Structure formats: structure tokens, C-alpha cells
Amino acid sequence: MKILLTGGAGYIGSHVAAALVSSGHDIVCFDNLSNSEAGVMDRLEAITGTPIPLVKGDIRDRDALDKVFGDHAVEAVIHFAGLKAVGESVAQPMRYYDNNVRGTLTLLEAMSDCDVKTLVFSSSATVYGSPSYLPIDEEHPTSATNPYGRTKLMIEEMLADVAASDPEWRIATLRYFNPVGAHDSGLIGENPNGVPNNLMPYISRVAAGRLNELSVFGGDYPTPDGTGVRDYIHVLDLADGHVAALDAIAKTERPLSTWNLGTGQGYSVLDMVKAFERVNGVRVPYRIAPRRDGDIASCFASPERAERELGWKASRGLDAMCASSWSFEHMLAKRNTD
Ligand code: NAD
Ligand code: UD1
């Protein structure tokens, strides 16, 4: 299949790009490079042995989308493009609604007009809000506690209406839990601008001496060691989940499907710190700090529906997540000194 990846130069998009090429798909990436760099495409070529076209453009730009659909015989879209920082979304809500919601609407209009009606959308476990039970299955009620989460919910609602309006649509909403880790090659991974908000990139930078110590947000949660518990999923497992979802919606009669992509296993912040130290033989100094606003105690998936309907199950454990994050950190350090 020929697949368009919006946000294809980003962290998750680039790993999915590599997985799709190795499954025999033909792809084109479309990205405004607001949170990524074009150099990723060279590294993807080194990984896959195939040059992958990158079109620099914005999903809010209808002309740019029409051109990419006109130039390439796109059959399906995987839609990663979006802004994703919770704190920033609280400070700049209009920017988030414009980029994420308006951007998605423009993409859907462009797809509909050229009769491309197969779509995989990057949603998030954030749409479950504060969990009322664990593990979280897809029937869990949804809610949002910040503008970023609300953009994901609004887009999910928009997709449900679109799917209900025309039975030709085949839409998969993938609710990611906590993606971490990097490609085995060490060539691509997560490299946020500025000080990382998320746990794993923060741990890597502390271990590398680029940051002094990790602040563990909260040591008094009702969890086994008092620190927050999450469902960390290796980005390569997540990438395989996209390939499986695309295959499934090509065969299903259902216009809309929703799948959790998680492992079903929760680990605490201190579990992550200890695993990172043990696997990589490094020290990660930390101190227990106050809770972060908006954080919840525990969140982990029931991945059963994806296993049953997609035949997909995460297979990589914590050791692989920590080792690959550290290899990628080394690659970044080497790139910076070259
Ligand atoms: P990322 O920032 O690395 O990738 C997003 C890409 O989209 C970037 O390359 C960016 O330049 C591009 N982009 C942003 N706005 C654009 C626009 N208007 N037009 C064109 N390109 C645009 O983020 P990621 O971690 O790869 O996340 C991908 C998707 O998955 C996002 O929608 C995010 O909300 C969702 N998600 C991510 C996580 C996570 O932990 N990383 C968890 C749940 C959901
Ligand atoms: C966060 C977002 C979520 C988003 C996801 C992926 C919030 C409230 N939620 O999820 O909407 O979908 O990222 O981008 O921001 N931690 C520390 N110290 C740190 C960083 C994190 O102790 O420096 C802890 C957190 O308190 C949490 C765990 O590590 O218990 C994971 O945090 P993080 O990686 O930010 O992910 P989430 O909060 O689960």
C-alpha cells in the first residue's frame, strides 16, 4: 500500500516509517518539521536501505495537502502530526486547537475530496482522564483534564461522526500508553527540544550528565513504592501495532475501530530508574519532589482487544526499552561532538 505519514519525521512516525518499509509498504512523509529535523530521513534511509520522500508542509495548508495527494497515489494515511506537550497546551490552548483540531479537519477534508478513506490516528491514553478502574479497556469512560487531551477527544469525536456519515471510511484510533525507547540501530529515537517533560528522556539525560538529577514527582501515591505507575511500551512494539492496525482495517467492515496500544504491565518511576541503572551500568541520581499538577497515581492498559482483533502483542520488556534509549543517547552525544 502507498501510505502518507503526517508527522512522519517525528519520534513515533519515524519508527512506524521503518516498520512499514520493512513490511513492504511504500510511504511518503509529510511534516512541517516544527518538532523534528529533515536529517531523520537520511537515518531512515540508512536503516531501511530505501530513500523515503519527505514533503515539508503543514496539515493546516489545504493546497499543500492537495499537492501531496495529487503527486502520490496515496491509499491510506497515518496521522501523527500534532503538538503534544501538556503544560504548553495549558499556556497556549488556541495554538493546540488550531494545530491539532483544525489541522485534522483540513486533513479529513482533503482525504475525503480525493477519496482516500483509510486512516490511522494517533490518540492517547490521556483520553481516559483519571482512571476509574484498572486495567483500562477501550470501554472506559473518556474525559480530558487539559487542552492537549481535549484536542485528542475532540478529534476522536470528529472521527466517529465522519465514520458514521459514510460507510466507506475505515478509521483506526490507536490510544497509546507511554511510548519509550528507540530503534535497535541507535539511529532514531526521542530527542525533545529543551528540558524533557517525559520520564525516559529525562532519565537518559541525567545518566549522560546533561542534567543533574531526576525529580521524582511524588513519593506518596497509593502505589507499591509511592511513585507513579505507568504502562511503558517500546516504540518498536508500538510501530508493529500500526502495521497490524493498517492490515486489520483493510479487511474489516467496521468504519471505526479503537485499540489500546500498551503492554498491560505497570512500572513505577523508581522501577524505571533502577532498571535503567542495572541494564546500562550507570547512575541516575534522583530526589523525591512534590507531585506534578495533573498527574495520576497509576495508569495501565488492558491490551486484550488489540491482541484478539489485531493478533498484536507487545513483546519487548523494560531492559530493551532502557538499553535502546541509552544507545540513542550515545548516538546523540557522538553526533554533537562530530
Ligand atoms: P513528535 O513531536 O516527535 O512528532 C510529531 C510530528 O508532527 C513532528 O515531526 C512535528 O514536526 C509534526 N507536526 C506537528 N504539527 C504539524 C503540522 N501542523 N503539520 C505538519 N507536521 C506537524 O511526537 P510523537 O511523540 O512522535 O507523537 C506523534 C503523535 O502521537 C502525536 O499526535 C502525539 O500527540 C501522539 N502521542 C504521543 C505520545 C508520546 O508519548 N510520544 C503518547 C500518546 C500520543
Ligand atoms: C504525559 C502526559 C500525557 C501524554 C504523555 C505522552 C501529563 C500529565 N501527561 O503522560 O498526556 O500523553 O505524557 O506524551 O503530562 N516523572 C517524574 N519525573 C520527571 C518526569 C516524569 O517523576 O521528570 C513521572 C511522572 O510523574 C509519571 C511518570 O514519570 O508518574 C511518567 O511521566 P511522563 O513520561 O511525563 O508521562 P505521563 O505523565 O504518563
Side-chain angles (χ1 to χ4, degrees):
M1 243 201 277
K2 177 104 183 191
I3 304 157
L4 176 71
L5 274 60
T6 73
Y11 170 46
I12 299 170
S14 58
H15 289 82
V16 174
L20 289 169
V21 171
S22 54
S23 309
H25 293 290
D26 195 7
I27 64 173
V28 52
C29 293
F30 182 88
D31 201 303
N32 67 1
L33 303 179
S34 59
N35 197 35
S36 51
E37 31 135 8
V40 165
M41 306 316 290
D42 298 332
R43 294 190 281 282
L44 273 176
E45 182 172 351
I47 290 169
T48 60
T50 312
I52 296 170
L54 168 69
V55 177
K56 189 173 176 225
D58 194 297
I59 52 166
R60 291 163 294 181
D61 179 347
R62 180 63 200 267
D63 292 342
L65 286 174
D66 287 346
K67 176 152 175 39
V68 81
F69 284 113
D71 289 349
H72 301 266
V74 173
E75 294 159 89
V77 175
I78 308 187
H79 177 32
F80 302 98
L83 301 174
K84 60 166 186 174
V86 173
E88 189 181 69
S89 79
V90 174
Q92 303 171 21
M94 289 178 278
R95 195 173 147 230
Y96 272 67
Y97 292 117
D98 183 53
N99 196 83
N100 294 3
V101 180
R102 181 164 77 89
T104 303
L105 180 59
T106 308
L107 173 68
L108 289 169
E109 287 166 345
M111 288 178 69
S112 175
D113 285 352
C114 62
D115 224 24
V116 176
K117 293 184 178 169
T118 301
L119 173 71
V120 176
F121 171 61
S122 297
S123 190
S124 166
T126 193
V127 301
Y128 294 120
S130 186
S132 46
Y133 60 85
L134 292 167
I136 302 174
D137 59 25
E138 291 83 351
E139 302 305 320
H140 187 288
T142 54
S143 66
T145 52
N146 56 68
Y148 164 71
R150 243 178 309 277
T151 67
K152 291 293 178 193
L153 265 186
M154 285 179 181
I155 294 168
E156 285 205 10
E157 285 169 355
M158 209 153 75
L159 294 178
D161 289 339
V162 167
S165 73
D166 173 353
E168 283 180 14
W169 280 92
R170 293 290 176 273
I171 299 176
T173 293
L174 302 181
R175 293 176 176 160
Y176 310 156
F177 280 66
N178 289 61
V180 295
H183 195 265
D184 292 332
S185 62
L187 291 175
I188 53 173
E190 187 176 15
N191 184 23
N193 292 328
V195 177
N197 294 310
N198 295 119
L199 181 64
M200 191 61 121
Y202 206 105
I203 289 180
S204 287
R205 290 191 190 178
V206 171
R210 294 170 67 193
L211 293 168
N212 287 338
E213 66 175 6
L214 171 73
S215 295
V216 175
F217 298 139
D220 57 354
Y221 282 110
T223 60
D225 65 16
T227 68
V229 167
R230 297 289 184 277
D231 186 336
Y232 297 94
I233 175 169
H234 197 301
V235 67
L236 292 180
D237 279 328
L238 194 76
D240 292 341
H242 287 72
V243 179
L246 203 58
D247 288 348
I249 58 171
K251 291 176 200 142
T252 183
E253 293 296 307
R254 251 183 354 223
L256 179 70
S257 308
T258 302
W259 290 293
N260 281 344
L261 295 184
T263 67
Q265 170 76 53
Y267 288 107
S268 74
V269 177
L270 293 184
D271 288 336
M272 298 301 284
V273 169
K274 285 175 199 153
F276 198 95
E277 290 186 326
R278 174 178 51 75
V279 169
N280 298 316
V282 293
R283 294 268 303 112
V284 180
Y286 69 86
R287 71 183 170 88
I288 304 291
R291 291 181 179 190
R292 180 173 67 178
D293 275 354
D295 267 359
I296 49 179
S298 297
C299 174
F300 50 91
S302 163
E304 274 173 28
R305 184 190 284 181
E307 189 175 353
R308 195 173 59 246
E309 296 184 356
L310 302 179
W312 168 90
K313 191 177 183 335
S315 63
R316 296 161 180 91
L318 214 48
D319 288 15
M321 299 180 208
C322 293
S324 62
S325 298
W326 190 230
S327 306
F328 180 64
E329 186 66 37
H330 275 296
M331 194 281 289
L332 285 178
K334 189 170 171 305
R335 226 199 296 159
N336 288 339
T337 53
D338 281 352

